[in-house]
Amino acid sequence: MDHESSLIGLFAIIPILFYLGLLVLCVYFVIKMIKFINAKTRLDQQRNEKLEELIRVIGNGKEE
């Protein structure tokens, strides 16, 4: 009987571990997405600065 109660306790903890694992995966996904979005924003800003510089250079070449 003691063996059966420990087996039932094990089955009772499996859903808790499953939900805990799912929560950890969700938090990991959110952190990765935040890092990706921050990196993309930084790269987009750099690209926009380069485009502005290119537009200025092309605009100065046409004025001459």
Side-chain angles (χ1 to χ4, degrees):
M1 183 139 171
D2 186 34
H3 179 67
E4 291 175 2
S5 64
S6 65
L7 191 60
I8 291 172
L10 179 64
F11 284 135
I13 202 168
I14 288 175
I16 295 170
L17 292 176
F18 175 76
Y19 289 123
L20 185 63
L22 189 61
L23 179 66
V24 168
L25 285 175
C26 288
V27 169
Y28 175 77
F29 178 74
V30 168
I31 290 172
K32 283 298 208 180
M33 286 302 299
I34 289 172
K35 286 183 178 182
F36 171 77
I37 290 171
N38 286 341
K40 184 174 180 344
T41 301
R42 187 174 9 93
L43 291 173
D44 287 346
Q45 288 173 347
Q46 290 174 354
R47 186 187 64 207
N48 288 343
E49 290 170 2
K50 289 178 183 179
L51 282 173
E52 289 173 5
E53 183 180 341
L54 182 62
I55 289 170
R56 263 187 265 119
V57 168
I58 291 173
N60 289 341
K62 287 185 178 180
E63 290 176 2
E64 295 176 0

